[in-house]
Amino acid sequence: MGLSASRASGVGNNLKHCTLWKADRSPACRAVMMALDALDLNINEVDVNMDKGEHRSPEMIVMNPLQTLPILKDRNLILNDSNAIATYMATRYWSPHASKLLPSDPGARAMIDQFMFFNSNVLYPRYKEAAHPILYKNCRYVPPNTMCDIQCAYADLEKMLQGRMFIGGSSPSMGDIMLIATVSTLNILVPIDQIEFPRVSSWVHRMSEEMFYTTANKKGLCEFARRLGELTGVQSTKD
Amino acid sequence: MGLSASRASGVGNNLKHCTLWKADRSPACRAVMMALDALDLNINEVDVNMDKGEHRSPEMIVMNPLQTLPILKDRNLILNDSNAIATYMATRYWSPHASKLLPSDPGARAMIDQFMFFNSNVLYPRYKEAAHPILYKNCRYVPPNTMCDIQCAYADLEKMLQGRMFIGGSSPSMGDIMLIATVSTLNILVPIDQIEFPRVSSWVHRMSEEMFYTTANKKGLCEFARRLGELTGVQSTKD
């Protein structure tokens, strides 16, 4: 494990009492890292090597018995769900950025929550189903039924994005950030067909042009693609 | 489909501009019904027969292309995720009940959100994995690997409930309500061992004594158990 340098420019809000334990390869960690950059918040970050099982060390299990990453510690509060961490940081450390990413109007917020639960309930479990057997169980490919499930999830997302530039309107919301971490990773496992899923493809492209995507998603996504290539013998051209 | 009688006493807040389409058998629908009763909100409710495919009718697909239940309509806003619906109703129609169920303090809210995402990400997908093949695909039992996954989810919940009467403290929160809908249903599919999972067992018992559980969960849970018994030939003694 090692303390990593801050990704942000240093002009943001420094919260040195907060620490994030993370692995760049994990979409859930990248989701939180993007949220922090979008909120312009600088906190301590600790890199955890999951291949060495560092997330299962006794001191990590005390913080998170589920042995997952990310983990956020803000004084006495410890959180281990990426969505809960992102919305917590936006509401606890309110700023003009935060109100744009996570509006307080109940209807607007509910729509963002709905996409975040779709990510949690549909997209993320399918990412785990496809990636974990390759990363941790010597599987060398995504099984056809899992590929099919992921295509179905793309089809659902295609319907949900009808009439939307972004989930919350004309600029990215916290929901967009949570989803793009997963979808950009799924796109490496099962490439998104531009003809079949034009709205998803365009939304992924729009999100990939955001600054927080460059600062907090790109590196870990490349690392994931490289590791996947090493394990499957197939190199991805996506980033 | 048919408009159902209100479950509540009628002394609550009447919101006749809101409609919920639901099936009592579905844990996600029962979660919303319990939330409404806990919030003391009366809205229109429409029973949808999923066995007859009523949730796939053209007018339902216009509201929810994902073809799932529940669906909430509040004037122009349409939501289809149970968690988003419950938190929306609590924040949009604020009351002393609501502030107890869903505190506005960011840290307290984040802990509740974390449990809701655990429900969405872990418990509910395992419910679907176990129940849907029986309800819709002529399967007659829960496969051993799915039973094992559900036992692992109970083990995780057992750890998460350490030191907690309820998720948010000494009284049920919106998180407890979302979880008990799923866990009480999983308990029929794979009974919770009281010796192995004492905290989960006690929490389920405490939740089953709440008024909203009696008014909004019990009937649908019995219906689910009866239907499961018809399809598998095994009668459950749980309710």
Side-chain angles (χ1 to χ4, degrees), chain A residues 65-66 77-81 83-84 87-88 91-92 106-107 109-111 113-114 116-117 120-121 124-125 128 156 159-160, chain B residues 65-66 77-81 83-84 87-88 91-92 106-107 109-111 113-114 116-117 120-121 124-125 128 156 159-160:
Chain A
L66 304 190
L77 180 71
I78 298 175
L79 297 170
N80 59 45
D81 178 87
N83 305 280
T87 52
Y88 167 73
T91 47
R92 173 71 182 80
R109 169 70 190 262
M111 195 51 71
D113 285 346
Q114 177 154 297
M116 287 171 71
F117 280 105
S120 169
N121 188 243
Y124 209 85
K128 281 198 292 188
D156 283 345
K159 291 172 199 157
M160 292 167 73
Chain B
L66 304 189
L77 179 71
I78 298 175
L79 297 170
N80 59 45
D81 177 88
N83 305 280
T87 52
Y88 167 73
T91 47
R92 173 70 181 82
R109 169 68 191 264
M111 195 50 71
D113 285 346
Q114 177 155 297
M116 288 170 69
F117 280 105
S120 168
N121 187 244
Y124 210 84
K128 280 197 292 188
D156 283 345
K159 292 171 198 156
M160 293 167 72

Side-chain angles (χ1 to χ4, degrees), chain B residues 221-236:
Chain B
L221 198 58
C222 286
E223 194 184 307
F224 174 81
R226 192 172 53 245
R227 185 74 182 131
L228 203 77
E230 285 166 6
L231 294 167
T232 61
V234 180
Q235 299 304 318
S236 169

Side-chain angles (χ1 to χ4, degrees), chain A residues 46-206:
Chain A
V46 179
D47 285 306
V48 179
N49 189 324
M50 297 182 87
D51 288 331
K52 291 183 181 169
E54 290 178 351
H55 58 300
R56 291 193 294 269
S57 68
E59 60 267 38
M60 297 294 281
I61 290 176
V62 168
M63 288 197 292
N64 178 15
L66 304 190
Q67 305 178 32
T68 56
L69 293 175
I71 301 170
L72 176 86
K73 190 168 188 299
D74 180 350
R75 298 192 172 96
N76 290 328
L77 180 71
I78 298 175
L79 297 170
N80 59 45
D81 178 87
S82 56
N83 305 280
I85 293 171
T87 52
Y88 167 73
M89 295 303 281
T91 47
R92 173 71 182 80
Y93 301 102
W94 188 90
S95 69
H97 296 293
S99 65
K100 209 171 162 189
L101 289 161
L102 199 69
S104 55
D105 170 71
R109 169 70 190 262
M111 195 51 71
I112 290 166
D113 285 346
Q114 177 154 297
F115 274 84
M116 287 171 71
F117 280 105
F118 175 74
N119 184 38
S120 169
N121 188 243
V122 176
L123 297 172
Y124 209 85
R126 292 180 194 187
Y127 152 75
K128 281 198 292 188
E129 200 183 323
H132 284 201
I134 298 173
L135 293 174
Y136 308 116
K137 292 180 181 167
N138 293 321
C139 181
R140 297 195 55 158
Y141 59 93
V142 180
N145 58 337
T146 307
M147 288 188 74
C148 187
D149 285 346
I150 292 170
Q151 297 282 4
C152 288
Y154 291 157
D156 283 345
L157 186 56
E158 183 72 15
K159 291 172 199 157
M160 292 167 73
L161 286 173
Q162 184 166 18
R164 297 176 188 277
M165 277 280 282
F166 296 100
I167 291 166
S170 59
S171 65
S173 70
M174 198 58 89
D176 293 277
I177 292 175
M178 297 293 109
L179 262 77
I180 194 63
T182 315
V183 174
S184 61
T185 314
L186 282 172
N187 193 25
I188 289 171
L189 290 154
V190 180
I192 297 163
D193 187 309
Q194 289 183 21
I195 308 297
E196 199 173 354
F197 308 116
R199 290 183 210 117
V200 178
S201 298
S202 305
W203 170 79
V204 168
H205 178 72
R206 276 193 294 279

